[in-house]
Amino acid sequence: MTASEFINKFIMIEAKAFLSIFEMSISEAAYAIGISDPSYFARFFKKQSGMSPREYRKMIDLSS
């Protein structure tokens, strides 16, 4: 695993944790992990996970 892959994996763990807090907006989750552009966050998240942050939230909401 490269350093970049390791960092991206860590960012995704943090992002998923913040997205599981439904009181926090997706933009707020992006800011919380240090990404100031919510649209970049959405593209990054989709590239890493295969789903958008909104789709991820729906998935974890249905599994609860």
Side-chain angles (χ1 to χ4, degrees):
M1 178 182 298
T2 67
S4 178
E5 290 170 337
F6 179 79
I7 292 167
N8 288 343
K9 186 171 262 194
F10 181 77
I11 290 170
M12 286 301 294
I13 290 168
E14 290 288 305
K16 287 178 178 180
F18 283 117
L19 288 172
S20 67
I21 303 169
F22 287 94
E23 294 81 23
M24 182 179 276
S25 73
I26 293 172
S27 295
E28 289 171 328
Y31 296 134
I33 61 169
I35 298 176
S36 60
D37 182 0
S39 63
Y40 172 76
F41 172 70
R43 290 191 310 272
F44 171 82
F45 193 92
K46 183 156 187 149
K47 181 178 179 185
Q48 296 297 316
S49 70
M51 64 181 77
S52 71
R54 183 166 283 127
E55 291 169 333
Y56 177 76
R57 273 204 165 157
K58 284 182 186 175
M59 180 192 70
I60 61 173
D61 191 36
L62 293 175
S63 66
S64 298

